[in-house]
Amino acid sequence: MNILEVDKLTKRYGSEIAVNNLSFSLEERTSTALIGPNGAGKTTTLSMLAGLLKQTSGSVNWQNHSGVGFLPQHPQLFPWLTALEFLEMAARLSGIAAREARSRSVETLEFVGLGAAVNKKTGTFSGGMKQRLGLAQAIVHRPKLLLLDEPVSALDPTGRREIMNLLKSLQHETTILYSTHILNDAEEMTDQVLFLRRGQLVEQGSLEEVRERYAEPTIRIRFQDVRSAAHFAEHHNWKARVEGAAVLLPVGETGPRMEEVMLALSKDASGVSGIERQQATLEEIFLKVAGAE
Ligand SMILES: Nc1ncnc2c1ncn2[C@@H]1O[C@H](COP(=O)(O)OP(=O)(O)OP(=O)(O)O)[C@@H](O)[C@H]1O
């Protein structure tokens, strides 16, 4: 069942169209990555879905509007408050009764790994701690749908890992829509990808579907050393790319047929230590989608 349906959503600023005719839906308990370069319209889209910005036209239909949590790109955390004070305030603002707000806040701070920092002022927090607290305010009322604007982009690899792990643990009971330009992370937690370019949805589908559409089938031939790899690439007139001790070779439409490659290898397999099918990364697909006019 769809928890959210977006139809022809559009936002104009004067003559500029920030979001242009967007249509997609979110199925319950799935994760969707909204991917696009700076200025593509990710923040504008999420702000409209969160109800903070009015669309110029189009519609957003909810299954249940009350259960939404939102983490803005730059959350305002009030540096003079402690984590607990901040979260209690957020809990009250989300409609949680006063008698429940404290226990729910403590529980949520524990969940995001800030159990030891409940009484610390948020102004003293590191970037990773701030992002956990931002996430805590988005989930304290246990929303069915979580909207996250660049939840990991400003963090170092360790911080990103921690937040991604937290998000993954929420996946079973929550529908998640998050924007990002860190594609390696998106790859880990995506049932659906939405590619935005200049306000328009240029590609959407499951990661597998999009891969299928854009990825050139490629094989990776691993060699025992760099020299053998280079030697193989040089001796065949194919569009091969040497990557360390491996050769990446597109096969099919733009390259040789698989049989030709196997035949060449059966004649001379010196130095070959393995062959495998190479899957296109989301990054490679994105570059193709972003580059296509
Ligand atoms: N308040 C505003 N007034 C005028 N133009 C705006 C306003 N807010 C956003 N825009 C424009 O709308 C477009 C989309 O911006 P948006 O912030 O949604 O992109 P984004 O994908 O979130 O980018 P980033 O990754 O840099 O945050 C940009 O061209 C931006 O300049």
Side-chain angles (χ1 to χ4, degrees), residues 161-180:
R161 176 100 327 278
E162 288 167 359
I163 296 288
M164 286 309 286
N165 287 343
L166 278 174
L167 294 180
K168 279 196 214 164
S169 65
L170 287 166
Q171 260 184 311
H172 318 288
E173 67 240 46
T174 320
T175 306
I176 301 178
L177 172 65
Y178 66 106
S179 68
T180 187

Side-chain angles (χ1 to χ4, degrees), residues 13 16 18 37-44 73 150:
Y13 289 107
E16 196 186 337
N38 289 340
K42 304 182 296 293
T43 298
T44 306
Q73 193 168 6
E150 303 271 1

Side-chain angles (χ1 to χ4, degrees), residues 8-22 40-41 44-45 48 53-58 198-200:
K8 303 195 183 78
L9 191 65
T10 300
K11 179 70 188 180
R12 284 174 187 273
Y13 289 107
S15 60
E16 196 186 337
I17 306 188
V19 170
N20 191 357
N21 222 16
L22 233 60
T44 306
T45 302
M48 286 192 282
L53 188 66
K54 194 164 165 34
Q55 66 262 39
T56 307
S57 59
R198 285 189 235 117
Q200 274 179 312

Side-chain angles (χ1 to χ4, degrees), residues 269-291:
S270 56
V272 174
S273 62
I275 303 174
E276 65 225 18
R277 210 189 134 97
Q278 170 89 2
Q279 266 203 327
T281 64
L282 203 46
E283 183 121 19
E284 286 164 337
I285 297 171
F286 175 65
L287 288 174
K288 275 192 198 166
V289 177

Side-chain angles (χ1 to χ4, degrees), residues 8-248:
K8 303 195 183 78
L9 191 65
T10 300
K11 179 70 188 180
R12 284 174 187 273
Y13 289 107
S15 60
E16 196 186 337
I17 306 188
V19 170
N20 191 357
N21 222 16
L22 233 60
S23 298
F24 64 89
S25 52
L26 302 180
E27 201 177 313
E28 244 178 337
R29 286 188 278 273
T30 59
S31 296
T32 299
L34 183 61
I35 297 168
N38 289 340
K42 304 182 296 293
T43 298
T44 306
T45 302
L46 289 170
S47 303
M48 286 192 282
L49 300 185
L52 300 175
L53 188 66
K54 194 164 165 34
Q55 66 262 39
T56 307
S57 59
S59 64
V60 180
N61 291 311
W62 301 88
Q63 187 211 343
N64 173 2
H65 202 297
S66 60
V68 182
F70 179 51
L71 173 63
Q73 193 168 6
H74 306 289
Q76 172 62 262
L77 300 177
F78 307 110
W80 58 89
L81 294 182
T82 66
L84 184 56
E85 285 165 350
F86 171 77
L87 202 57
E88 256 188 283
M89 179 184 76
R92 295 296 310 278
L93 287 173
S94 308
I96 296 175
R99 62 181 182 286
E100 227 193 299
R102 172 153 299 209
S103 59
R104 193 73 84 75
S105 297
V106 170
E107 199 180 290
T108 309
L109 286 168
E110 287 285 343
F111 173 76
V112 299
L114 290 175
V118 286
N119 294 318
K120 288 217 171 93
K121 293 232 179 349
T122 69
T124 67
F125 278 16
S126 69
M129 289 166 85
K130 284 184 180 156
Q131 205 62 342
R132 285 155 186 257
L133 185 58
L135 186 60
Q137 66 74 33
I139 61 174
V140 68
H141 57 302
R142 300 195 189 125
K144 287 231 171 71
L145 174 65
L146 204 47
L147 303 171
L148 310 163
D149 195 1
E150 303 271 1
V152 296
S153 304
L155 302 176
D156 63 21
T158 316
R160 292 216 302 270
R161 176 100 327 278
E162 288 167 359
I163 296 288
M164 286 309 286
N165 287 343
L166 278 174
L167 294 180
K168 279 196 214 164
S169 65
L170 287 166
Q171 260 184 311
H172 318 288
E173 67 240 46
T174 320
T175 306
I176 301 178
L177 172 65
Y178 66 106
S179 68
T180 187
H181 54 252
I182 312 271
L183 299 181
N184 280 346
D185 293 339
E187 210 153 8
E188 266 185 50
M189 197 189 78
T190 318
D191 298 304
Q192 177 179 224
V193 288
L194 302 172
F195 281 115
L196 263 189
R197 193 183 64 207
R198 285 189 235 117
Q200 274 179 312
L201 210 49
V202 286
E203 194 53 75
Q204 70 189 105
S206 70
L207 193 51
E208 288 69 36
E209 283 166 353
V210 174
R211 265 206 181 113
E212 195 73 7
R213 250 173 266 155
Y214 281 85
E216 277 180 285
T218 298
I219 53 169
R220 169 184 284 268
I221 308 169
R222 281 185 284 114
F223 290 84
Q224 274 147 14
D225 51 59
V226 180
R227 216 156 45 99
S228 311
H231 182 262
F232 179 89
E234 271 164 30
H235 280 75
H236 295 94
N237 197 18
W238 293 327
K239 239 177 49 187
R241 184 156 57 89
V242 180
E243 208 181 83
V247 170
L248 291 175

